């Protein structure tokens, strides 16, 4: 299993909370950027992938022409015959019928819509460029276009948000028939306008936790599975591409700020669009090769995010060697005895009530 | 010898001592470059805090207007309230003292205290008003204060500007004319005073000495009077301001010697060095071992640094023999040291230097004075830490050290200073009015109150105008109790404190409240309690944390995620685990900051 991630670092406008790498007002660079992506792709020519994910930024800003050209190019460079899941992220304001239809034609079977909220006030307060009506229209269009799986992003903890408004957003999404919801708690990331000048009506951590727990209960009662810390899906609609990240799988990331994990080696492209356009293969940095013991611990940390699947120490021991998982197994056992983890024979998962306070567990699983 | 003059400068902090010293050194060509930084203060910290911590001596050749060559030895003295013993030893090495007063500030408490010490030591005082280049000066007030407070007639007072050099040549002439040359015969057996010391990793301890009789040179066998230990002199010399190796030091002279002395504990300021050939030469009177007044626990933040801390303290003591330390272990903090200091400033500076110069991350616990406990047996115990207190039923009564403080304050700030004294259990002993503008308040305070934020508070209520000096008076019984702090049911020894019974509960509540803000929320509830004996006097609970998770997945940037977790973990390593509770370092000093 190998995933292909492609980063599209363009946005109409930067949202107040966002610290992902993307630039506003550079859409005119899209044609050159597609060329650069294909140049970078050629340095990995012949690789096969089972999942594809176009993320951003705002991938819908590629436009139908850009998207078509990119996919045509990728099909020439890579072996995409075994592609089981292909996701495109879209923003409601740029999810045009032409774009969505092109995506379908080019093999995308999953669309992730940046809904965030279905309340205009909440959307405005963090500088989103779309409104609730556009989000609903995009959802309807995605459905009509025939995507097998539709996902919506929702932000928990927007200014003035309460359970009433959040419930109404999520309720409508469920009613519209989305099969997947990613619910992220708003966080004040250093360097963002939101962190520099946080609004007074921002729900605090406790209020966020309260909203999150209510959202979990509601979605579970509607038949969604809380399969990852921030992700809910109807059965068989889990995002395969993201599951692969959390299972320690291999993936190639193309574009500035995209991360890769190939043959046990983690690396990323520097977040520098200008240089990338000139020299798409010269930005690799942060190369990291961990020893087997650290690798096993890292994978365990990632797998802990999978609330149902968790960590199977027997499987890890088989893959990394018993000597390299002994310390990890001991840590897991101790944590389970303290109630920090739930153990079921060789499998360990986070207790349901600790999903939102799991950093200390992640850190402990990683070890020293 | 008749052409030697040994003198020091007595001044309050920031009254321009180092600048004046620099002008003198420039005028006599000891230093050539006009540097902005004072030459005598060698430690960064001194510059930052405007204080000379350790004394030094500089030899200054001076060609006087009478056509004769002189040697002036300028002996630097510490200017802070904690170092009065060191000051008295520096004074002992001199025949005269320049009393330096800032024309814009007037005479300060510490200056008076040190001037009295100088007068008692029989020194000739040359009063000097500095900073006459400033515009907002109050010359008449300075004259009046010098007269009223120290009995110095106006006609004796010189006026200088250390900054511009105005009046400095006249001052040099006054040093020659007014200060008597040293007495003492070079033919008698060696007798010299250690007034300071430094440490050099190659040559060992370098005592700074003033020779009163006889002479010393390379190859001489010397004896340290207080210990009887004998060493052979490797080198003698003087500072100019860097060390200059000399042939011989004779009576009246000031310099240093090296004798491969490896143990800092062998060289004590105030001790007498004599010739091993004449072991019965009497000691110069006035020597005493340094008396630490304030103790605190010092613990490495990272337990593995214990060895580093040990090495740092050992090395530190070589340069400052007034620090005492012994091993201590705490249930909460692990292995560390109980360290004694001359006073709060001494403690602050030492901690800061340990952190900076040895790159140590340290937790310092609440400072404590040395209590005298009379047990029911009865026996007398001197206890420097609340954790060493006997059980309450073994205590008959507790006595605490009392100091007498002289607080000099402009009249308009007398009220706030008295209010402050009230809150610090001060009893007013007397009031003096040396001039029409300032009041001298004489108070007795329990030392324990002075070491918990009194100076800072005094400075703030008087907008920086009040100054204070103090002397230890002895012990007095106090109605004191020990307050324990329990975190999730576990007593944290390092947080225990001693307080007067009447305020113990109030402080307990304030401390618990402060701790509630400092200790992070955990995954479980953390109860905080203050207790006197078995009686809980304050309680607050820290509710469990509800959100602490890295929710986003940065397009598969796992490395970043792992590094964030590792950073978070590093932060936790800086906390101390008590049971399952992580307590940050600041918590251990929070009692000090209660009033902020």
């Amino acid at each position: 299993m190998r995933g292909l991630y492609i980063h599209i670092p363009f946005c109409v406008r930067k949202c107040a909370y966002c610290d992902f790498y993307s630039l506003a007002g550079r859409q005119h660079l899209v044609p050159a950027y597609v060329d650069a992506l294909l140049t970078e792709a050629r340095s990995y020519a012949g690789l096969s992938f089972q999942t594809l994910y176009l993320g951003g930024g705002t991938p819908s800003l590629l436009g139908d022409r850009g998207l078509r050209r990119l996919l045509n190019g990728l099909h020439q460079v890579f072996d995409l015959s075994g592609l089981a899941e292909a996701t495109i992220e879209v923003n409601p304001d740029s999810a045009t019928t032409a774009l969505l239809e092109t995506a379908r034609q080019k093999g995308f079977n999953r669309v992730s819509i940046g809904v965030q909220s279905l309340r205009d006030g909440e959307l405005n307060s963090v500088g989103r460029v779309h409104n609730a009506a556009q989000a609903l229209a995009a959802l309807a269009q995605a459905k009509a276009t025939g995507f097998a799986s539709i996902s919506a992003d929702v932000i928990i903890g927007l200014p003035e948000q309460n359970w009433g408004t959040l419930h109404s957003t999520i309720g409508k999404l469920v009613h519209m028939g989305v099969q997947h919801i990613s619910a992220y708690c708003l966080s004040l990331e250093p360097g963002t306008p939101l962190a520099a000048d946080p609004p007074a009506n921002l729900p605090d951590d406790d209020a966020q936790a309260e909203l999150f727990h209510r959202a979990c209960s509601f979605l579970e009662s509607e038949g969604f599975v809380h399969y990852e810390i921030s992700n809910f899906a109807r059965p068989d609609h889990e995002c395969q591409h993201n599951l692969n990240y959390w299972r320690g799988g291999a993936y190639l990331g193309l574009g500035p700020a995209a991360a890769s994990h190939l043959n046990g080696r983690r690396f990323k492209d520097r977040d520098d669009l200008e240089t990338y356009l000139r020299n798409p293969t010269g930005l690799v940095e942060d190369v990291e090769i961990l020893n087997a013991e650290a690798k096993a611990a890292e994978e365990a940390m990632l797998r802990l995010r999978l609330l149902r699947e968790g960590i199977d120490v027997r499987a890890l021991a088989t893959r990394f060697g018993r000597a390299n998982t002994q310390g990890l197994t001991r840590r897991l056992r101790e944590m389970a005895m303290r109630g920090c983890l739930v153990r079921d024979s060789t499998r360990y998962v986070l207790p349901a009530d600790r999903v939102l306070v799991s950093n200390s567990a992640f850190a402990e699983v990683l070890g020293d | 010898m008749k052409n030697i003059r040994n003198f020091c400068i007595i001044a309050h902090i920031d009254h321009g001592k180092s600048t004046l010293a620099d002008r003198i050194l420039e005028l006599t060509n000891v230093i050539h470059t006009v540097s902005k930084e004072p030459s005598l203060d060698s430690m960064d910290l001194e510059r930052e805090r405007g204080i000379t911590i350790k004394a030094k001596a500089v030899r200054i050749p001076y060609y006087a207007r009478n056509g004769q060559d002189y040697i002036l030895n300028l002996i630097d003295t510490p200017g802070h309230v904690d170092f009065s013993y060191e000051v008295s030893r520096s004074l002992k090495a001199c025949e005269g003292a320049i009393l330096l007063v800032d024309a814009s500030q007037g005479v300060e408490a510490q200056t008076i205290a040190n001037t009295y010490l100088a007068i008692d030591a029989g020194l000739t005082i040359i009063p000097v008003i500095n900073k006459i280049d400033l515009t907002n000066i109050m010359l008449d007030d300075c004259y009046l204060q010098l007269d009223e407070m120290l009995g110095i007639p106006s006609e004796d007072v010189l006026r200088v500007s250390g900054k511009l050099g105005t009046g400095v040549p006249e001052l040099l002439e006054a040093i020659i004319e007014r200060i008597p040359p040293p007495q003492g015969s070079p033919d008698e057996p060696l007798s010299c005073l250690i007034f300071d010391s430094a440490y050099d990793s190659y040559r060992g301890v370098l005592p700074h000495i003033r020779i009163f009789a006889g002479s010393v040179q390379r190859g001489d066998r010397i004896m340290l009077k207080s210990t009887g230990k004998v060493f052979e002199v490797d080198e003698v010399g003087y500072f100019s301001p860097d060390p200059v190796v000399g042939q011989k030091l004779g009576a009246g002279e000031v310099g240093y010697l090296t004798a491969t002395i490896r143990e800092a504990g062998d060289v004590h300021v105030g001790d007498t060095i004599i010739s091993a050939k004449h072991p019965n030469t009497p000691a110069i009177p006035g020597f005493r071992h340094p008396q630490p007044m304030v103790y605190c626990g010092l613990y490495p933040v990272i337990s593995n640094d214990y060895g580093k801390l040990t090495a740092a303290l050992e090395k530190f003591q070589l340069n400052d023999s007034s620090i005492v330390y012994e091993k201590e272990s705490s249930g909460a903090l692990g292995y560390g040291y109980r360290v004694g200091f001359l006073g709060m400033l001494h403690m602050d500076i030492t901690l800061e230097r340990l952190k900076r110069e040895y790159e140590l991350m340290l937790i310092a616990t609440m400072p404590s004075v040395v209590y005298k406990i009379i047990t029911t047996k009865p026996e007398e115990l001197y206890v420097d830490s609340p954790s060493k207190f006997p059980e309450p039923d073994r205590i008959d009564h507790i006595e605490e050290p009392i100091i007498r403080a002289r607080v000099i304050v402009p009249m308009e700030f007398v009220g706030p200073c008295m209010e402050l004294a009230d809150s610090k259990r001060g009893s007013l002993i007397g009031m003096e009015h040396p001039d029409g503008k300032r009041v001298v308040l004489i108070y007795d305070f329990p030392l324990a109150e002075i070491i918990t934020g009194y100076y800072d508070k005094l400075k703030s209520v008087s907008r920086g105008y009040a100054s204070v000096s103090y002397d230890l008076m002895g012990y007095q019984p106090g109605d004191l109790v020990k307050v324990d702090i329990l975190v999730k049911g576990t007593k944290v020894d390092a947080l225990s404190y001693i307080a007067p019974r009447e305020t113990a509960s109030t402080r307990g509540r304030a401390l618990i409240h402060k701790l509630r803000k400092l200790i992070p929320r955990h995954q479980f509830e953390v109860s905080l309690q203050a207790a006197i004996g078995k009686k809980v006097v304050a309680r607050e609970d820290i509710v469990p944390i509800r959100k602490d998770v890295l929710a986003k997945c940065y397009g598969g940037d796992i490395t970043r995620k792992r590094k964030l977790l590792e950073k978070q973990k590093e932060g936790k390593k800086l906390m101390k685990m008590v049971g399952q509770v992580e307590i940050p370092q600041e918590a251990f000093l929070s009692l000090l900051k209660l009033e902020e």
Side-chain angles (χ1 to χ4, degrees):
Chain A
M1 164 78 193
R2 196 182 295 124
L4 174 61
Y5 175 81
I6 294 174
H7 192 65
I8 310 297
F10 301 106
C11 279
V12 173
R13 178 164 94 202
K14 281 292 279 186
C15 300
Y17 55 83
C18 175
D19 75 333
F20 286 82
Y21 182 63
S22 77
L23 303 165
R26 304 279 178 90
Q27 292 92 304
H28 60 280
L29 296 174
V30 163
Y33 185 65
V34 171
D35 290 338
L37 282 174
L38 293 173
T39 304
E40 191 188 10
R42 275 189 282 276
S43 64
Y44 301 94
L47 275 179
S48 63
F49 296 98
Q50 287 71 49
T51 63
L52 166 65
Y53 197 105
L54 241 64
T58 313
S60 42
L61 289 182
L62 284 175
D64 52 311
R65 285 186 56 202
L67 184 63
R68 187 174 295 119
R69 211 157 64 78
L70 175 62
L71 265 292
N72 289 344
L74 292 176
H75 275 282
Q76 280 175 14
V77 178
F78 296 128
D79 172 6
L80 301 179
S81 57
L83 213 55
E85 179 195 274
T87 306
I88 180 168
E89 282 182 353
V90 299
N91 203 52
D93 69 299
S94 46
T96 60
T97 310
L99 180 101
L100 291 170
E101 279 174 353
T102 306
R104 268 305 288 134
Q105 282 165 20
K106 287 292 150 196
F108 285 91
N109 53 7
R110 190 171 179 275
V111 61
S112 170
I113 305 174
V115 174
Q116 316 309 354
S117 166
L118 290 173
R119 308 287 284 209
D120 286 346
E122 291 175 3
L123 290 168
N124 265 327
S125 67
V126 288
R128 293 293 305 190
V129 292
H130 71 278
N131 58 32
Q134 285 173 307
L136 291 168
L139 279 165
Q141 186 59 50
K143 238 167 115 176
T145 314
F147 285 93
S149 220
I150 299 173
S151 175
D153 286 351
V154 169
I155 298 178
I156 289 178
L158 288 167
E160 276 184 12
Q161 194 177 47
N162 55 45
W163 173 237
T165 64
L166 179 60
H167 186 203
S168 119
T169 292
I170 304 177
K172 280 180 198 159
L173 292 173
V174 172
H175 183 74
M176 291 285 293
V178 303
Q179 293 94 346
H180 188 280
I181 287 179
S182 298
Y184 295 109
C185 286
L186 185 70
S187 56
L188 299 179
E189 299 296 338
T192 61
L194 195 72
D197 185 20
N201 50 11
L202 215 53
D204 64 11
D205 279 359
D206 287 357
Q208 276 195 9
E210 180 66 28
L211 290 173
F212 185 86
H213 288 303
R214 284 183 174 227
C216 289
S217 308
F218 172 73
L219 285 169
E220 278 164 6
S221 73
E222 290 289 336
F224 282 74
V225 178
H226 191 184
Y227 74 101
E228 194 269 347
I229 287 175
S230 305
N231 288 284
F232 303 81
R234 292 205 180 277
D236 300 327
H237 284 276
E238 296 90 351
C239 176
Q240 297 302 319
H241 182 84
N242 284 340
L243 279 176
N244 182 48
Y245 290 157
W246 301 315
R247 287 171 178 158
Y251 47 91
L252 172 65
L254 299 180
S260 301
H261 183 210
L262 287 180
N263 299 116
R265 173 179 182 261
R266 292 198 186 276
F267 56 96
K268 64 187 285 191
D269 282 349
R270 196 168 73 231
D271 51 359
D272 178 351
L273 177 64
E274 219 169 296
T275 309
Y276 184 79
L277 291 174
R278 288 200 306 272
N279 181 13
T281 55
L283 262 63
V284 172
E285 62 171 25
D286 287 352
V287 176
E288 186 182 72
I289 301 167
L290 298 177
N291 63 33
E293 191 176 356
K295 204 74 189 162
E298 182 189 74
E299 187 176 320
M301 180 271 283
L302 289 169
R303 282 182 176 270
L304 212 48
R305 303 186 70 88
L306 299 171
L307 304 180
R308 293 285 177 99
E309 211 171 296
I311 305 164
D312 182 352
V313 286
R314 197 167 39 192
L316 285 178
T318 311
R319 292 206 358 255
F320 293 97
R322 196 161 297 277
N324 294 315
T325 54
Q326 262 171 359
L328 172 69
T329 309
R330 194 172 50 243
R331 290 199 294 279
L332 293 171
R333 214 181 298 132
E334 279 169 17
M335 290 170 72
M337 291 204 301
R338 277 188 280 124
C340 301
L341 295 177
V342 176
R343 179 181 176 185
D344 175 13
S345 124
T346 60
R347 197 174 289 279
Y348 294 85
V349 295
L350 280 175
D353 60 345
R354 295 206 177 188
V355 169
L356 270 199
V357 287
S358 42
N359 270 353
S360 61
F362 295 156
E364 203 173 340
V365 166
L366 274 180
D368 284 316
Chain B
M1 196 159 65
K2 71 178 174 47
N3 284 7
I4 296 177
R5 298 292 182 272
N6 298 319
F7 70 103
C8 61
I9 305 176
I10 294 171
H12 193 69
I13 296 159
D14 287 337
H15 279 205
K17 180 169 69 170
S18 299
T19 311
L20 177 64
D22 272 7
R23 283 306 86 72
I24 292 175
L25 297 181
E26 277 168 24
L27 209 65
T28 51
N29 297 314
V30 176
I31 55 173
H32 299 282
T33 45
V34 182
S35 80
K36 275 195 175 152
E37 297 292 335
S39 321
L40 287 190
D41 297 352
S42 60
M43 289 182 258
D44 287 348
L45 213 62
E46 293 178 14
R47 275 176 206 153
E48 273 172 36
R49 303 186 69 141
I51 307 159
T52 305
I53 303 167
K54 298 295 290 177
K56 271 195 195 172
V58 186
R59 178 186 287 212
I60 304 165
Y62 177 57
Y63 178 67
R65 287 179 191 163
N66 64 11
Q68 293 191 42
D69 281 314
Y70 286 85
I71 287 175
L72 312 181
N73 288 304
L74 167 55
I75 294 166
D76 203 10
T77 55
H80 191 272
V81 59
D82 289 343
F83 302 114
S84 63
Y85 174 70
E86 295 193 337
V87 172
S88 76
R89 296 290 83 189
S90 300
L91 294 173
K92 189 96 183 171
C94 306
E95 279 76 38
I98 295 173
L99 164 58
L100 195 66
V101 175
D102 184 329
S104 65
Q105 303 290 322
V107 182
E108 306 275 5
Q110 193 56 42
T111 315
I112 297 175
N114 287 343
T115 308
Y116 282 147
L117 286 174
I119 292 169
D120 290 348
L123 266 59
T124 301
I125 307 289
I126 303 179
V128 176
I129 295 176
N130 190 20
K131 304 197 187 179
I132 56 163
D133 53 296
L134 296 181
T135 47
N136 60 332
I137 56 174
M138 35 180 222
L139 276 181
D140 290 343
D141 290 333
C142 290
Y143 285 128
L144 192 64
Q145 288 161 8
L146 284 168
D147 187 9
E148 292 273 324
M149 292 170 146
L150 296 163
I152 292 170
S154 309
E155 55 273 21
D156 286 358
V157 181
L158 299 179
R159 287 180 293 173
V160 306
S161 160
K163 192 171 149 203
L164 305 177
T166 321
V168 179
E170 290 72 20
L171 173 59
L172 284 168
E173 285 297 310
I175 291 168
I176 302 299
E177 287 158 16
R178 297 192 202 175
I179 298 175
Q183 306 289 313
S185 161
D187 305 323
E188 286 170 32
L190 175 68
S191 170
C192 68
L193 172 78
I194 303 172
F195 63 87
D196 196 358
S197 73
Y199 186 79
D200 179 302
S201 44
Y202 296 105
R203 295 178 292 181
V205 185
L206 263 85
H208 295 17
I209 51 172
R210 155 72 199 269
I211 311 214
F212 283 92
S215 65
V216 63
Q217 58 190 322
R218 186 189 162 95
D220 284 357
R221 287 170 61 75
I222 53 163
M223 180 189 276
L224 291 158
K225 187 73 188 175
S226 73
T227 60
K229 287 198 182 174
V230 174
F231 297 92
E232 188 179 315
V233 176
D234 298 326
E235 179 184 315
V236 298
Y238 56 88
F239 299 99
S240 183
D242 297 319
V244 177
V245 180
Q247 289 295 312
K248 181 179 182 178
L249 289 173
E253 288 194 285
V254 172
Y256 70 88
L257 61 79
T258 68
T260 326
I261 307 170
R262 289 289 164 199
E263 298 285 323
D266 286 339
V267 174
H268 289 289
V269 168
D271 199 0
T272 309
I273 296 177
I274 57 173
S275 163
K277 276 190 269 179
H278 303 277
N280 294 325
T281 313
I284 297 161
F287 172 69
R288 63 176 163 90
H289 282 283
Q291 187 69 54
M293 307 252 265
V294 180
Y295 283 79
C296 78
L298 273 191
Y299 292 84
V301 171
I302 297 159
S303 320
N304 290 346
D305 279 354
Y306 178 73
K308 238 169 117 186
L309 173 61
T310 308
L313 283 170
E314 277 169 6
K315 214 166 153 210
F316 209 87
Q317 205 189 33
L318 295 172
N319 275 310
D320 185 352
S321 59
S322 59
I323 286 172
V324 298
Y325 60 92
E326 60 178 28
K327 282 183 182 147
E328 179 181 74
S329 77
S330 148
L333 300 175
Y335 290 99
Y337 287 95
R338 193 78 190 162
V339 188
F341 305 93
L342 298 173
M344 274 309 278
L345 180 92
H346 189 211
M347 172 175 141
D348 286 348
I349 288 172
T350 307
L351 295 189
E352 202 48 47
R353 285 187 56 197
L354 281 171
K355 287 179 192 167
R356 247 188 242 191
E357 293 168 25
Y358 297 90
E359 289 175 356
L360 278 167
M361 285 191 293
L362 292 174
I363 293 177
T365 63
M366 267 291 293
S368 167
V369 301
V370 181
Y371 293 96
K372 183 156 114 188
I373 297 176
I374 292 61
T375 63
T376 47
K377 240 181 176 177
E379 57 184 346
E380 262 181 24
L381 303 174
Y382 286 88
V383 177
D384 60 32
S385 160
S387 63
K388 294 179 192 159
F389 264 53
E391 289 305 310
D393 56 1
R394 277 188 56 212
I395 299 176
D396 181 78
H397 69 276
I398 303 170
E399 295 185 6
E400 59 179 334
I402 302 295
I403 55 133
R404 177 153 298 173
R406 288 173 63 87
V407 184
I408 302 185
V409 60
M411 277 178 167
E412 61 263 43
F413 298 116
V414 166
C417 289
M418 292 179 105
E419 301 269 0
L420 174 63
D422 254 354
S423 75
K424 294 283 184 189
R425 294 192 283 146
S427 23
L428 185 60
I429 303 301
M431 287 176 81
E432 291 168 9
H433 298 81
D435 55 27
K437 291 180 174 160
R438 302 201 298 178
V439 178
V440 181
L441 301 168
I442 299 156
Y443 268 102
D444 279 358
F445 283 110
L447 178 61
E449 298 288 342
I450 298 301
I451 66 171
T452 48
Y454 176 73
Y455 299 129
D456 291 344
K457 203 86 187 172
L458 183 70
K459 287 285 169 205
S460 92
V461 301
S462 68
R463 284 202 226 125
Y465 284 110
S467 62
V468 63
S469 66
Y470 69 74
D471 290 304
L472 187 64
M473 300 294 287
Y475 279 85
Q476 270 179 20
D479 188 10
L480 302 169
V481 291
K482 180 183 167 191
V483 182
D484 291 316
I485 302 297
L486 291 88
V487 175
K488 203 166 186 279
T490 307
K491 195 187 285 182
V492 184
D493 49 6
L495 286 171
S496 299
Y497 63 94
I498 306 300
R501 190 181 303 275
E502 54 173 347
T503 57
S505 307
T506 325
R507 281 192 206 187
R509 277 195 293 278
L511 177 59
I512 292 294
H513 191 66
K514 185 104 185 171
L515 289 174
R516 189 173 68 106
K517 289 183 187 157
L518 283 172
I519 297 175
R521 290 164 69 179
H522 285 64
Q523 303 217 345
F524 40 82
E525 186 168 85
V526 176
S527 66
L528 303 171
Q529 293 167 296
I532 301 172
K534 295 206 161 24
K535 189 173 161 234
V536 175
V537 294
R539 173 174 181 143
E540 288 194 33
D541 295 328
I542 303 173
V543 298
I545 190 168
R546 297 198 59 193
K547 188 188 152 218
D548 175 32
V549 64
L550 296 171
K552 285 183 202 158
C553 196
Y554 289 83
D557 192 349
I558 308 304
T559 303
R560 172 174 163 166
K561 197 183 289 286
R562 219 190 56 237
K563 282 181 180 160
L564 280 172
L565 287 169
E566 274 162 7
K567 212 167 136 194
Q568 198 172 5
K569 209 158 52 176
E570 285 305 310
K572 287 192 179 199
K573 273 192 194 154
L574 302 183
M575 300 205 221
K576 281 288 169 180
M577 290 292 283
V578 175
Q580 281 191 52
V581 183
E582 288 154 352
I583 303 184
Q585 302 165 48
E586 311 92 272
F588 295 97
L589 269 178
S590 52
L591 194 61
L592 267 185
K593 303 193 164 76
L594 278 188
E595 286 152 33
E596 282 165 17

